[in-house]
Structure formats: C-alpha cells, structure tokens
C-alpha cells in the first residue's frame, strides 16, 4: 500500500497536529460511550480515569509497545463483564481485582511466548463468533440508554432509526478526515437536535461521591475471576487481530516482536486499570480504515491525541461538559458502533470462508441465541443458580464463548 507517511516517519508539526486532531475525534467517542458503567455519583472521576489510562496506553504503545498507530480504548468485553458481575450484586472491590488477575495472565502469556499456541485454538469461526457476540451482548444496555428518557420514548426511537441510517450513509460517502469524524459529528449534532426538542440542561454533570484514585477494598470471588478470564480470551484475540491487521497492511517489520511488546503493554495497563477501578484498554481494529483513508501511518500522529486525553483527565469541568451528551444519543452511537462490529464479524466469515455449510452456520447461530436469551433472562432465574457458577452462567458473553468453543472443537467439529 502506498502511504504518504510510513510508521516511523515524522511529519512536520502542522501535519502532526492535524492528524492528531483526527485521531482525537475517534478516541473521544470510544471513551465517552463506555461511561454507562460508571458507579453512581462518580461519572466525572470515572471518565477522567478512563481518559488518563487510554492516553498513557497509547503513548507507551506508540513509543515502546507495538509502535503502530492504533487507537486504544476500554475493551467492550470488559464492559460486559462489569455489567454482568454488577447485576449479580458484586461490588467494584470484587470486580476490578478480577480484571487485575486477567491483565496479569495476558502479560504472562506474552512474556513466556505462549501467544502462538493460544492462537491455534481460535479458528476463524470462533473469532468471528466472538466479534459478533460482543455486539449482541451489548443489546440490553444499549436499549436501556436509548429509552432512558421516559418522557420522550418516540423521539428516542425516531432519532435512533434516522441517526443510524445517516451515520451509515455518511460513512459510505465521506472520505479522509471526514470519514473518521462521523461518530463525533453525530454525537455533537445529535445532542443539539435532541436538546432543541427536549430543552437544554440547566447544569452540567457533577459527582456526588468523593473521587477515589485507587480501589479502597479488594475482594476475590472465584466465579467472577473465571468469568473475567473468559473475557480476557476475547480481549487477547482483539489485541492480536488489531496489531496483525494493521501491521500487515503497512508492512511493519518484526511483527512478531511488535505483537509481543504490544500484548505486554496491554496486560500491564489492564492491571493498572483494575487498580484504579476502570475497564482495561485494548487496541481497536478500526485503525486500518483510518490509515487507508488518510494514507498516513505515522505512529507519531497518535501522540497529540494521547496528550489531549491526558489534559482532559486533569480538568473535571471539561469532562463534565462532554458528559452532557444525552444518554439516548450515546445509546444510538453505541448501536451504530456495535453494528459495525457485526459487519466486521461477517467480513471475517466471508474472507475465511468459515460458513459454507449448515453446520458452520449453527456454530455461529447457537452461541448468538444463547447470548441473547441469557442477556434478558429474569433475575429470579439467575438467583436460582448456585453462587459459585452464577458469575459464569449469568455472563451471557462468557456463555457464548463456551458454547461456540464446544461446538467448534467437539460437537460439530469438521475436518476442514
């Protein structure tokens, strides 16, 4: 691929700032759409910590880790893990230490060179299933966000339909920096439209609880730990896929060593994230599309965006302004992003020809149905499950992974 700037090129100051602004417009929605799991009364401080963790991760990855222009943001699989554990009554003091253990496992696997052996377990069908499962697991929280405004349900529904269609259309026709800014532009204009109809807020979001930098208590629950280990399987696949796809696209040398360093950084930063009480970061697979549209693969253009995120983390008032985006608009943007995730999973299936028979389709369909059903399972049914396995069975995403692996490697195993 012919590029204007290769991964180790250093554009002039003006170009770095311009490209950095483009990356920032992608990074902001990635963080802001993850704040729906923030503890009550701590939304601003939670968002500050997310900006800080993601900014630091990008800087370390760009300068020492995989050294590629990849967006790092809160892992969707961990958001699901937090939601599932919280719905079963587990406190942050139990949830986030499990994340630290998962981050330590990822770091250990990377350091001992076990990634190549782990990759063999994950066939294209399993990878495609996991990518799609993430989206279906998000259905319930997205539904809650879109219809969070009880006074205007029809407005939320109409805005969701029109908004998603417009974003898909804009993604098709826009080029370069405009294509990369579809989501952030949708958030801005969607918020203006929504508030023009419902009335603008009279005050910004503010915390009612005392901000905490680190977890005050640490508890361990075996079921929660096991559930998060399955989540980290998906995070591992996501991280490997993101680095591999962009690395091959820009013909980065020594890709194996980049992969190892990138995974070590991701594991360590997940440990740090668990310690401060936020979901750990992972590299997003949307970066190759941005590089292709701009012909710029310079890793240094990521630094202004990362620094801007760190600056935002220092100013709670600025974060409070960003958090005034209405919950229904956040939900609509998240709906669109999850739709692109499903599209990515379908692309994997098409490229790898992993759904050529009826049985292949069942391997993909059955886990999806399990995920959807368990996502909306009654609380009474979950309460009847033994407490030791409840964090696993009650996590629809984890159960989807277990089912697809059983089908792929045992029940419907094929010779292909």
């Amino acid at each position: 691929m012919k590029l204007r700037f290769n991964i180790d090129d250093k554009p002039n100051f003006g170009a770095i700032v311009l490209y950095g602004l483009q990356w920032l417009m992608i990074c902001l929605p990635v963080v802001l759409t993850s704040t729906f799991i923030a503890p009550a009364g701590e939304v601003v401080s939670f968002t500050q910590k997310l900006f800080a963790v993601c900014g630091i991760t990008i800087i370390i990855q760009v300068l020492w880790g995989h050294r590629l222009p990849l967006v790092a943001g809160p892992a969707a699989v961990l958001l699901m893990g937090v939601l599932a554990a919280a719905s079963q009554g587990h406190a942050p003091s139990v949830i986030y230490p499990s994340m630290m253990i998962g981050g330590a496992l990822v770091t250990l696997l990377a350091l001992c060179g076990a990634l190549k052996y782990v990759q063999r377990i994950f066939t294209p069908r399993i990878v495609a299933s996991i990518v799609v499962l993430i989206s279906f697991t998000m259905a319930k929280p997205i539904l809650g966000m879109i219809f969070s405004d009880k006074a205007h349900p029809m407005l939320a529904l109409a805005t969701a339909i029109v908004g998603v269609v417009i974003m898909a259309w804009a993604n098709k026709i826009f080029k370069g920096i405009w294509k990369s800014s579809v989501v952030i532009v949708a958030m801005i204009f969607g918020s203006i439209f929504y508030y023009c109809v419902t009335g603008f807020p009279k005050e910004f979001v503010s915390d009612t609880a005392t901000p905490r930098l680190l977890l005050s208590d640490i508890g361990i629950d075996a079921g929660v730990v096991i559930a998060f280990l399955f989540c980290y399987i998906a995070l591992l696949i996501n991280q490997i896929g993101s680095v591999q796809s962009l690395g091959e696209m820009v013909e980065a040398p020594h890709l194996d060593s980049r992969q190892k360093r990138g995974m070590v950084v991701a594991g360590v930063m997940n440990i740090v994230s668990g310690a401060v009480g936020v979901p750990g970061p992972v590299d997003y697979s949307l970066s190759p599309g941005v590089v292709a549209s701009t012909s710029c693969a310079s890793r240094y253009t990521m630094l202004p965006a990362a620094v801007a995120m760190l600056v935002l983390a220092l100013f709670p008032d600025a974060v409070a302004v960003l958090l005034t985006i209405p919950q229904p608009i956040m939900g609509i943007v998240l709906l669109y992003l999850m739709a692109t995730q499903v599209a990515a999973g379908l692309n994997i299936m098409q490229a790898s020809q992993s759904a050529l028979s009826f049985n292949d389709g069942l391997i993909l369909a059955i886990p999806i149905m399990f995920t959807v059903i368990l996502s909306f399972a009654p609380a009474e049914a979950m309460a009847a499950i033994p407490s030791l396995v409840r964090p696993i069975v009650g996590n629809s995403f984890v159960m989807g992974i277990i089912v697809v692996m059983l089908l792929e490697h045992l029940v419907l195993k094929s010779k292909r």
Side-chain angles (χ1 to χ4, degrees), residues 55-67 265 269 303:
I56 292 170
T57 301
I58 291 173
I59 290 172
I60 297 175
Q61 289 283 27
V62 163
L63 297 180
W64 182 84
H66 49 57
R67 299 180 186 175
V265 173
M269 291 308 299
L303 295 178

Side-chain angles (χ1 to χ4, degrees), residues 56-399:
I56 292 170
T57 301
I58 291 173
I59 290 172
I60 297 175
Q61 289 283 27
V62 163
L63 297 180
W64 182 84
H66 49 57
R67 299 180 186 175
L68 293 170
L70 283 165
V71 172
V77 292
L78 299 183
L79 300 181
M80 293 301 93
V82 173
L83 277 180
S87 67
Q88 296 164 24
H90 294 289
S93 58
V94 172
I95 296 172
Y96 290 102
S98 300
M99 232 178 261
M100 295 173 68
I101 295 172
L105 176 64
V106 169
T107 306
L108 182 62
L109 288 174
L111 289 174
C112 67
L115 292 180
K116 58 183 178 182
Y117 302 107
V118 174
Q119 283 179 269
R120 295 176 185 174
I121 302 172
F122 301 103
T123 64
R125 263 191 298 272
I126 290 180
V127 172
S129 295
I130 289 175
V131 170
V132 173
L133 285 175
I134 293 171
S135 299
F136 280 91
T137 309
M138 292 285 281
K140 188 174 182 178
I142 289 173
L143 186 66
M145 293 171 73
I146 291 177
F147 293 103
S148 59
D149 185 358
K150 304 300 182 184
H152 305 91
M154 286 306 299
L155 173 63
L157 178 60
T159 305
I161 296 171
V162 175
V164 170
V165 170
I166 290 176
M167 281 188 278
W169 171 79
N171 185 70
K172 178 183 178 181
I173 66 168
F174 285 179
K175 304 296 181 184
I177 190 170
W178 292 108
K179 189 182 185 74
S180 307
S181 63
V182 166
V183 173
I184 191 69
V185 170
M187 293 175 77
I188 294 170
F189 284 97
S191 299
I192 294 172
F193 166 76
Y194 201 86
Y195 281 137
C196 281
V197 177
T198 62
F200 286 84
K202 295 180 174 58
E203 58 185 19
F204 294 125
V205 177
S206 60
D207 285 349
T208 55
T210 304
R212 296 171 298 172
L213 178 60
L214 299 173
L215 292 176
S216 55
D217 299 307
I218 292 180
I220 300 295
D221 182 285
V224 177
V225 171
I226 294 171
F228 268 101
L229 290 182
F230 277 98
C231 291
Y232 272 94
I233 289 173
L235 184 144
L236 195 79
I237 294 171
N238 193 340
Q239 181 68 28
I240 291 172
S242 297
V243 174
Q244 198 74 26
S245 59
L246 183 60
E248 291 178 356
M249 175 182 169
V250 300
E251 300 177 354
H254 312 298
L255 196 53
D256 287 344
S257 60
R258 291 176 187 270
Q259 191 75 265
K260 179 178 179 179
R261 292 195 305 270
M263 193 64 72
V264 169
V265 173
V268 171
M269 291 308 299
N270 269 268
I271 297 173
V272 173
S273 299
V276 300
V278 296
V282 70
D283 286 316
Y284 280 45
S285 56
L286 50 79
S287 300
V290 179
V291 171
S293 65
T294 62
S295 298
C296 175
S298 171
R299 55 192 170 107
Y300 298 104
T301 58
M302 293 291 302
L303 295 178
V307 171
M309 293 170 78
L310 290 177
V311 172
L312 275 173
L314 297 175
F315 295 96
D317 290 343
V319 172
V321 172
L322 293 175
L323 290 173
T324 55
I325 297 171
Q327 278 290 301
I329 299 300
M330 288 281 202
I332 292 166
V333 168
L334 203 51
L335 173 62
Y336 171 74
L337 292 175
M338 290 301 102
T340 64
Q341 185 96 349
V342 174
L346 295 176
N347 277 341
I348 293 172
M349 286 185 273
Q350 189 275 332
S352 61
Q353 296 186 325
S354 56
L356 299 178
S357 68
F358 183 77
N359 282 344
D360 293 345
L362 282 179
I363 292 173
L364 297 166
I366 292 176
I368 290 175
M369 291 306 300
F370 260 102
T371 296
V372 173
I373 290 171
L374 288 174
S375 293
F376 293 91
E380 297 81 6
M382 290 294 107
I385 298 171
S387 58
L388 181 62
V389 297
R390 193 181 305 151
I392 301 170
V393 179
N395 188 321
S396 58
F397 176 73
V398 169
M399 288 304 297

